[in-house]
Amino acid sequence: MQFLKSFYIHGTFFWYIAILSACFMVSFWFPALYPIAWLLTLLLGALFLFDCSLLYAGKGIIAQRKLPKKLSNSDLNPIKITFETNYSFKTFVTVIDELPVQFQKRDFEFNTYLIKGEKKEFDYSVRPVDRGEYLFGNLNMYASSPLKIVKRRFVFQKDQMVPVYPSIIQMQQYDFLAISNRLSEIGLKKIRRIGHTQEFEQIKEYVQGDDFRTINWKATAKQQQLMVNQYQDERSQPIYSIIDTGRVMKMPFNGLKLLDYAINATLAFSNVALKRNDKTGMLTFSKSIETFVPAVQKLTHLNTILEKLYNISTEFTDSDFGLLYAHVKRKVTHRSLLLLYTNFEHISALKRQLPFLTAMAKQHVLVVIFFENTELEELVASDAENLQTIYHKTIAEKFSFEKRLMQKELQKHGIQTILTKPEELTINTINKYLEIKARGLI
């Protein structure tokens, strides 16, 4: 049974059969060809048995699929396959990896060859767009000799499960750029500091350009040279990422739901905030408060946030902003920075929630983050060629205008806003955080 499961006929064998059939057919008109056709048939039968003995002697092919411990959502994740041959002849290999059902890819195939004792590596990338468990099936290797009559199937690493987490690759990218001071290369702005923060750092010698208002006269008298007080950004300030998991966050762009854009941005932002010694926490809500993680300053707290983000899901329900306000008022007792990821498609939807948002903004620094509909923006920018296109474009412009109107309405009530394209969410969120810190709003 094991032999039958691994035994396959090579496609080239059917060409041999077609040639033999043609010889027998032509021998009807040329009888001298008839015995030659039978000799070729016997030769093919002998080669068939010889090819089987070649492929089924010894271990044959050894292969391994190397998966990361966690896949990163919305990013290209590299998968590596290594394989080598123990055959003494040139071996033709077809690699078929059974990808998880979430990718809906059934034509994955890679063809190569190996000479005696050779070892090769093959890399490919996958881009998941949903969090959860992804099950890789069999790693199938089909080996054939230069005769290409039969193939032998080798199966490795059946049913490997790997979880897909929020974008760890994106988080590491921003972490590295923050450390190397190269954030401006990917769009992060340099924010001009306004005024002074109140957290004292050290006394240092005055150098040209220092603010003379920070001169410490007592230290100057002791050292007999000008000394100034140096301040630093206020630290250990509580910051909460609040994610709306209602139906408005189900909308997909480039295959990724708005909820997953918000989750990826929360992870990357929380990492940056922790590195800047602020306290970070998170909260998710829809019809109920689903997750609440108090703000903590420890770097290990990022693992807690990551695990909570991994388990977030969305339902087709309307979110209860009144419940959110009541929970924030009860649980978040210190003035904090609240980053609220949500979406409004109509100004009437915003006005229903505006009293709750205004009430939160009185006690905390509230930043409402909602999304541009990039597909409508493309329609607005396109040329109108007929009456139907003009109608569609007019409706799209109306929706686009309402988005700007909502932004103005929120700002009029003293609420910070970010209106962003989904793919630029992380950049714009970190920019707003740096701006608020530089302005000393919290």
Side-chain angles (χ1 to χ4, degrees), residues 165-178:
Y165 273 75
S167 183
I168 299 171
I169 292 176
Q170 187 182 105
M171 180 196 72
Q172 292 172 341
Q173 176 191 16
Y174 285 105
D175 186 26
F176 174 76
L177 291 172

Side-chain angles (χ1 to χ4, degrees), residues 6 14 33 36 64 123 145 177 274 288 293 301 325 331 340 346 361 371 379 407 421-422 426 430:
S6 65
F14 296 100
L33 192 60
I36 297 175
Q64 183 182 14
D123 295 327
S145 71
L177 291 172
L274 284 170
S288 61
V293 180
H301 186 57
Y325 165 67
K331 294 292 185 179
L340 173 59
H346 306 280
F371 300 88
L379 183 57
Q407 188 177 26
K421 296 177 180 177
T426 304
I430 298 176

Side-chain angles (χ1 to χ4, degrees), residues 16 68 93 144 156 207 224 237 269 273 291 327 330 348 398:
Y16 296 153
V93 179
S144 58
F156 304 94
V207 295
Q224 297 184 352
Q237 295 172 311
F269 164 77
T291 306
H327 188 83
R330 186 171 66 255
S348 58
K398 177 179 179 296

Side-chain angles (χ1 to χ4, degrees), residues 250-266:
K250 194 80 171 180
M251 190 181 298
F253 289 93
N254 296 324
L256 199 66
K257 296 188 289 291
L258 292 180
L259 177 66
D260 286 299
Y261 280 110
I263 288 170
N264 291 342
T266 297

Side-chain angles (χ1 to χ4, degrees), residues 129-181:
V129 292
D130 282 305
R131 287 163 290 113
E133 295 182 349
Y134 282 56
L135 186 66
F136 285 78
N138 296 334
L139 174 59
N140 302 287
M141 313 289 291
Y142 295 87
S144 58
S145 71
L147 296 174
K148 294 186 177 180
I149 296 176
V150 298
K151 293 192 292 186
R152 181 181 176 184
R153 179 193 181 198
F154 297 88
V155 180
F156 304 94
Q157 294 175 297
K158 181 180 180 181
D159 295 342
Q160 278 186 291
M161 194 281 291
V162 59
V164 174
Y165 273 75
S167 183
I168 299 171
I169 292 176
Q170 187 182 105
M171 180 196 72
Q172 292 172 341
Q173 176 191 16
Y174 285 105
D175 186 26
F176 174 76
L177 291 172
I179 292 171
S180 60
N181 255 343

Side-chain angles (χ1 to χ4, degrees), residues 37 52 56 78 91 110 130 134 139 194 206 274 285 365 371 385 398 423 428:
C52 288
Y56 283 88
T91 309
F110 172 70
D130 282 305
Y134 282 56
L139 174 59
I194 299 175
Y206 176 87
L274 284 170
F285 77 103
V365 178
F371 300 88
E385 298 177 352
K398 177 179 179 296
E423 59 271 18
N428 291 333

Side-chain angles (χ1 to χ4, degrees), residues 198-231:
Q198 298 300 314
E199 189 165 330
F200 176 78
E201 183 179 12
Q202 64 176 346
I203 299 174
K204 70 179 188 70
E205 293 181 11
Y206 176 87
V207 295
Q208 189 173 0
D210 282 342
D211 190 345
F212 63 87
R213 291 174 297 180
T214 63
I215 294 176
N216 187 319
W217 294 108
K218 289 184 178 179
T220 298
K222 278 186 180 181
Q223 299 294 328
Q224 297 184 352
Q225 59 179 340
L226 284 176
M227 305 294 290
V228 295
N229 294 331
Q230 184 172 326
Y231 299 90

